[in-house]
Amino acid sequence: MNLKEEALKLHRENKGKLAAKSKVKVETKQDLSLVYTPGVAEVCKEIAADTSKIYEYTFKSNSVAVVTDGSAVLGLGNIGAEASLPVMEGKCVLFKELGDIDAFPICIKTQNDREIINIARNIAPAFGGINLEDIAAPRCFKIEEQLLDIGIPVMHDDQHGSAIVILAALMNAAKVVNKRIEDLKVVINGAGAAGTATAKLLICLGVDKNICTSVREIVLCDSKGIIYDGRADLNEYKMQMAKVTNRSKRKGTLKDALAGADVFIGLSTGNLLVGDDLKKMNKDSIVFAMANPIPEIMPDEARKVATVVGTGRSDFPNQINNSLAFPGVFRGALDAKAAKINNEMKIAAAHALAGCVKPTKDNILPYTLDKKVVPAVAEAVKKAAIETGVVRRH
Amino acid sequence: MNLKEEALKLHRENKGKLAAKSKVKVETKQDLSLVYTPGVAEVCKEIAADTSKIYEYTFKSNSVAVVTDGSAVLGLGNIGAEASLPVMEGKCVLFKELGDIDAFPICIKTQNDREIINIARNIAPAFGGINLEDIAAPRCFKIEEQLLDIGIPVMHDDQHGSAIVILAALMNAAKVVNKRIEDLKVVINGAGAAGTATAKLLICLGVDKNICTSVREIVLCDSKGIIYDGRADLNEYKMQMAKVTNRSKRKGTLKDALAGADVFIGLSTGNLLVGDDLKKMNKDSIVFAMANPIPEIMPDEARKVATVVGTGRSDFPNQINNSLAFPGVFRGALDAKAAKINNEMKIAAAHALAGCVKPTKDNILPYTLDKKVVPAVAEAVKKAAIETGVVRRH
């Protein structure tokens, strides 16, 4: 049986992957009077008198809504809310199995930004966090921005989950090639959710003596080539990125951008590059070709030129996969009682993730199901949340 | 430890009552490739090509959203979305433990009807049904009405769950006093969610030879007395009810209404009546005094006059409780692949529920946790759904 048949069989036989579960028993009249009426009224009254007690008495302290509109699902594009459900159930299963978080899918029918924001804000009471998922760029930026003030951690995983894991991979790859991360010239191809968030995270890798550490240079490209300040066809988000990247104001194609770069990060489409294109990069180059399922350049070919090569695939070394970040990030944010997920927490997550392996060329990141990962990431995220003061008072 | 302390302890120690659970294992790379990427993409593609396959491959076939705005929670009133969560978690736990249904709470912050309707419609893709809960009348009527066409069963439990259980109780009480249900004169006090839905269900108890069977007379009262066509202060929903009840056009107080009645159904507030008030009712009267926690008349006092007495409380005989209906009703609707819950299904549920006991004065309904109840109700609801043709084609 091939992968397709096996996947269909698994989903059909189990009727999906997610279920609800009671944490309390309901066997006697007494159980019922505590779990439901009349006892539950006492719990309601406590929360009505002090809303913050919702964390003490309900599953909000451990629940996350996985919210999507189905507009950019995996590499499948805008397949809609219904067809996105298997991915969202899968995500909820990973939240539970990896992070012991109770996550539930919210697949939203409308693709109107204002309505999505309104729905997410309005269903927030029962949830301790919101994981935005598979919402197309540039709409995902606005939707996330408008949800950052609702008092619970909100993170668009396609942006920040990706950026965290890429940063961790880059930290370890830099060690392998013996370069300082601050000295790296990075080209990112793809200015969607993941590319933009990765660029933003690489711009601010930490603050020391009020000076923000960054990689040396970031050049962001989209399907039309290098993004530069003044390019006529940029949307507002690419325009913002043009102002904070590409300080040497380069123009031209992706291949032009690669000249003199240390790092190529591909978050775009398959089969864009051949080995020769990488020859213009600096010595000991790092190539993360993450388009899925076909990378921007196949790892075998990239390895002929580059020193460290990673992809999104599990059948090659150095798989760079979101699942390494989101369970630990939300676990840490919930444990810290964080009201949001800030840059410091993301960077701490990347450091912790990178610290899970002794990096070599073919092992810059831990295995996705490595039991060390979630506790390490969660602990670092929790610490950063507390240190940066984003925790709720209750 | 008293009930309050025990209830608070149970909720605090378990951090609420509901959890998520994975139905599949995630232990190996192979598991991950089936549950999540890349295998899950194949499942998404099947659903994208034929939306109805969502029932085959996801948890939609067994999931119910418990949706509230927290505007009428238990007897506590408008305590808001946060404070309602313990009740909604409790409801989800009962769905799981009694009906093996995967239910999740959606506590909506806004109390704007249009927004609530919009949110419920938009989150419907992941759910096989929607249980509306604890939304205040008369808003609950409009909200439910506007959701009846969304292709999945939607039921406001405070209306129809209550009505089903009351009808079942009435069927058995009528047997005990040896009266035909069609001959009963019924007074319902309380024209909110439960009172209105109960009146509607008693108006149409079944259709035979195209003639709708009804109880003989229904007089609906609110806090101002008998509701009659032409009373100046009625909202649109009470006005509708005035047109279909009280055919003899009576006016006056609740106590006036009781003269010559066979049945009193109280869905209002405590301590309204004394034994003497019931003396004007017909011989072998039936009194369901369901205000919670204090009934309209205490059972001990009612029993001095009435033959069958029921309340909402578990510490007296004949507890009339919603939990007897909703798990079986949704179980049956999901099993039947019903697109809605119609009157025939509700009446079938009441018949099945009534059939679970051999009725006596003190035993007109089964015990809430009686294992016979859900299968019996579900089977009857499923059969009625199929017979009345409300099932989805897929």
Side-chain angles (χ1 to χ4, degrees):
Chain A
M1 205 159 43
N2 63 24
L3 182 78
K4 175 179 173 174
E5 283 165 10
E6 265 193 85
L8 292 177
K9 182 165 173 274
L10 175 102
H11 286 75
R12 200 168 43 232
E13 287 183 352
N14 292 288
K15 293 218 155 208
K17 295 168 288 197
L18 190 69
K21 189 182 173 220
S22 176
K23 296 194 279 189
V24 294
K25 65 183 172 60
V26 187
E27 288 161 11
T28 65
K29 236 174 199 182
Q30 170 73 357
D31 295 341
L32 202 59
S33 72
L34 295 173
V35 168
Y36 206 54
T37 56
V40 72
E42 301 297 339
V43 188
C44 295
K45 284 194 267 182
E46 292 285 312
I47 300 171
D50 175 359
T51 309
S52 75
K53 291 215 168 155
I54 192 171
Y55 287 98
E56 196 174 327
Y57 291 114
T58 76
F59 87 152
K60 185 178 172 90
S61 55
N62 200 47
S63 69
V64 165
V66 175
V67 174
T68 189
D69 66 353
S71 58
V73 180
L74 306 174
L76 304 173
N78 189 356
I79 58 174
E82 280 86 359
S84 77
L85 182 51
V87 175
M88 303 311 135
E89 272 194 70
K91 193 102 190 183
C92 293
V93 162
L94 296 187
F95 263 117
K96 186 68 195 178
E97 295 297 294
L98 304 180
D100 196 20
I101 288 167
D102 300 306
F104 303 104
I106 304 289
C107 300
I108 298 179
K109 192 99 188 144
T110 178
Q111 296 192 345
N112 174 295
D113 296 353
R114 197 184 47 74
E115 288 192 36
I116 292 169
I117 293 161
N118 188 42
I119 291 167
R121 295 184 86 99
N122 271 306
I123 63 162
F127 298 105
I130 292 179
N131 179 106
L132 299 172
E133 190 75 21
D134 289 358
I135 300 174
R139 296 168 47 240
C140 61
F141 301 123
K142 180 180 163 195
I143 291 170
E144 192 192 42
E145 270 166 29
Q146 304 260 326
L147 292 172
L148 293 179
D149 66 344
I150 64 173
I152 58 173
V154 175
M155 182 172 98
H156 181 213
D157 189 49
D158 305 84
Q159 291 181 63
H160 311 291
S162 308
I164 289 165
V165 182
I166 290 167
L167 175 57
L170 190 58
M171 285 167 170
N172 277 348
K175 280 182 203 152
V176 170
V177 299
N178 206 20
K179 296 183 184 179
R180 295 197 325 154
I181 199 158
E182 296 88 338
D183 296 333
L184 298 177
K185 293 184 173 181
V186 179
V187 174
I188 298 174
N189 193 46
T196 301
T198 302
K200 284 183 185 168
L201 201 58
L202 293 180
I203 289 168
C204 186
L205 294 173
V207 177
D208 191 26
K209 295 176 188 146
N210 294 325
I211 297 164
C212 182
T213 317
S214 169
V215 296
R216 181 142 164 227
E217 187 177 88
I218 300 169
V219 177
L220 190 57
C221 303
D222 62 11
S223 59
K224 308 230 170 66
I226 295 172
I227 291 176
Y228 56 87
D229 196 10
R231 208 181 91 180
D233 60 346
L234 302 178
N235 67 34
E236 65 172 305
Y237 297 96
K238 288 182 181 176
M239 229 181 281
Q240 282 169 19
M241 294 312 296
K243 289 188 193 303
V244 293
T245 61
N246 192 9
R247 275 182 293 186
S248 49
K249 303 201 181 298
R250 297 166 73 169
K251 299 182 182 181
T253 65
L254 164 63
K255 287 171 193 178
D256 296 331
L258 287 176
D262 298 287
V263 180
F264 167 74
I265 298 174
L267 295 155
S268 43
T269 50
N271 280 329
L272 285 180
L273 299 170
V274 295
D276 275 353
D277 298 321
L278 306 181
K279 287 187 177 157
K280 292 178 268 177
M281 293 178 72
N282 288 343
K283 194 171 162 286
D284 273 337
S285 60
I286 296 165
V287 169
F288 297 158
M290 298 175 65
N292 230 334
I294 315 290
E296 285 82 354
I297 176 169
M298 286 306 284
D300 300 341
E301 183 154 7
R303 286 293 291 269
K304 290 179 192 160
V305 183
T307 303
V308 181
V309 176
T311 69
R313 290 170 57 138
S314 59
D315 52 351
F316 291 104
N318 296 331
Q319 187 190 9
I320 301 170
N321 186 299
N322 287 22
S323 324
L324 287 166
F326 70 81
V329 171
F330 273 95
R331 180 74 275 155
L334 291 173
D335 289 348
K337 303 182 177 186
K340 57 168 75 174
I341 293 169
N342 61 21
N343 244 25
E344 289 85 348
M345 291 156 78
K346 294 173 205 162
I347 291 160
H351 276 288
L353 181 55
C356 287
V357 290
K358 213 174 141 72
T360 65
K361 249 190 217 190
D362 286 336
N363 193 38
I364 55 171
L365 284 176
Y367 163 52
T368 320
L369 299 176
D370 185 332
K371 301 271 181 213
K372 283 197 305 291
V373 172
V374 175
V377 172
E379 190 54 39
V381 168
K382 181 181 173 183
K383 190 161 167 273
I386 292 168
E387 285 174 2
T388 55
V390 295
V391 301
R392 303 187 316 268
R393 268 165 301 176
H394 299 286
Chain B
M1 205 159 44
N2 61 26
L3 182 79
K4 174 179 174 174
E5 283 165 11
E6 265 193 83
L8 292 176
K9 182 166 174 273
L10 176 101
H11 286 76
R12 198 168 45 233
E13 287 183 353
N14 292 288
K15 294 218 157 209
K17 296 169 288 198
L18 190 70
K21 188 182 173 222
S22 176
K23 296 195 279 189
V24 295
K25 64 184 173 62
V26 186
E27 288 161 11
T28 66
K29 236 175 200 181
Q30 171 72 357
D31 294 341
L32 203 58
S33 72
L34 295 175
V35 169
Y36 207 54
T37 58
V40 72
E42 302 296 340
V43 188
C44 295
K45 283 194 267 181
E46 293 284 313
I47 300 172
D50 174 359
T51 309
S52 74
K53 291 215 168 155
I54 192 172
Y55 286 98
E56 194 174 330
Y57 291 115
T58 76
F59 88 152
K60 184 178 173 90
S61 54
N62 200 48
S63 69
V64 165
V66 175
V67 174
T68 190
D69 66 352
S71 58
V73 180
L74 307 174
L76 303 172
N78 189 355
I79 59 175
E82 281 84 0
S84 77
L85 183 51
V87 174
M88 303 311 134
E89 273 194 70
K91 191 100 189 181
C92 293
V93 162
L94 296 188
F95 263 118
K96 186 68 194 179
E97 294 297 293
L98 304 180
D100 197 21
I101 288 167
D102 300 306
F104 303 105
I106 304 291
C107 300
I108 299 179
K109 192 102 187 143
T110 179
Q111 295 191 346
N112 175 295
D113 297 352
R114 199 185 45 73
E115 287 191 38
I116 292 170
I117 293 162
N118 187 42
I119 292 167
R121 295 184 85 99
N122 271 305
I123 63 163
F127 298 104
I130 293 180
N131 179 107
L132 299 173
E133 190 75 19
D134 289 356
I135 300 175
R139 296 169 46 243
C140 61
F141 301 123
K142 181 180 163 192
I143 290 170
E144 192 193 42
E145 270 166 28
Q146 304 260 326
L147 292 171
L148 293 179
D149 66 345
I150 64 173
I152 58 173
V154 175
M155 182 173 97
H156 180 215
D157 190 48
D158 305 85
Q159 290 182 63
H160 311 291
S162 309
I164 290 166
V165 182
I166 290 167
L167 175 56
L170 191 58
M171 286 168 170
N172 278 347
K175 278 183 206 156
V176 170
V177 298
N178 206 22
K179 295 183 184 179
R180 294 195 327 155
I181 200 159
E182 295 90 334
D183 295 333
L184 298 177
K185 292 184 174 182
V186 178
V187 173
I188 299 175
N189 193 46
T196 302
T198 301
K200 283 184 186 168
L201 201 57
L202 293 180
I203 289 169
C204 188
L205 294 174
V207 177
D208 191 27
K209 294 177 191 149
N210 292 324
I211 298 165
C212 183
T213 315
S214 168
V215 296
R216 183 145 161 222
E217 187 178 86
I218 301 170
V219 176
L220 191 57
C221 303
D222 63 11
S223 59
K224 307 228 172 67
I226 295 173
I227 291 177
Y228 55 88
D229 195 9
R231 210 180 89 181
D233 60 344
L234 302 177
N235 68 33
E236 64 172 305
Y237 297 97
K238 288 182 182 176
M239 229 181 284
Q240 283 169 18
M241 294 312 294
K243 289 185 195 304
V244 294
T245 60
N246 191 10
R247 273 182 292 183
S248 48
K249 304 203 180 299
R250 299 166 72 167
K251 300 182 182 181
T253 65
L254 165 61
K255 287 170 195 179
D256 296 331
L258 287 176
D262 298 288
V263 180
F264 167 74
I265 299 173
L267 295 155
S268 44
T269 51
N271 280 329
L272 285 181
L273 299 171
V274 294
D276 275 352
D277 298 320
L278 305 181
K279 287 187 178 157
K280 291 179 268 177
M281 293 178 70
N282 289 343
K283 193 172 164 282
D284 273 338
S285 61
I286 297 165
V287 169
F288 298 158
M290 300 174 63
N292 230 331
I294 314 289
E296 286 81 354
I297 176 168
M298 287 306 284
D300 300 341
E301 184 156 5
R303 285 294 289 268
K304 289 179 194 160
V305 184
T307 304
V308 182
V309 176
T311 70
R313 290 169 59 140
S314 59
D315 51 353
F316 291 104
N318 296 332
Q319 188 188 9
I320 301 171
N321 187 298
N322 286 24
S323 324
L324 286 166
F326 70 81
V329 170
F330 273 96
R331 180 74 276 156
L334 292 172
D335 289 348
K337 306 183 174 184
K340 57 168 72 174
I341 294 170
N342 61 20
N343 244 25
E344 289 85 348
M345 291 156 78
K346 293 173 205 163
I347 291 161
H351 275 289
L353 181 54
C356 287
V357 290
K358 212 174 142 71
T360 64
K361 252 189 215 192
D362 287 336
N363 194 38
I364 55 170
L365 284 175
Y367 164 52
T368 319
L369 298 175
D370 185 333
K371 301 272 181 214
K372 283 196 307 292
V373 172
V374 175
V377 171
E379 189 54 37
V381 167
K382 181 180 173 186
K383 191 161 165 274
I386 293 169
E387 284 175 0
T388 55
V390 296
V391 300
R392 304 187 317 268
R393 267 165 302 175
H394 297 287

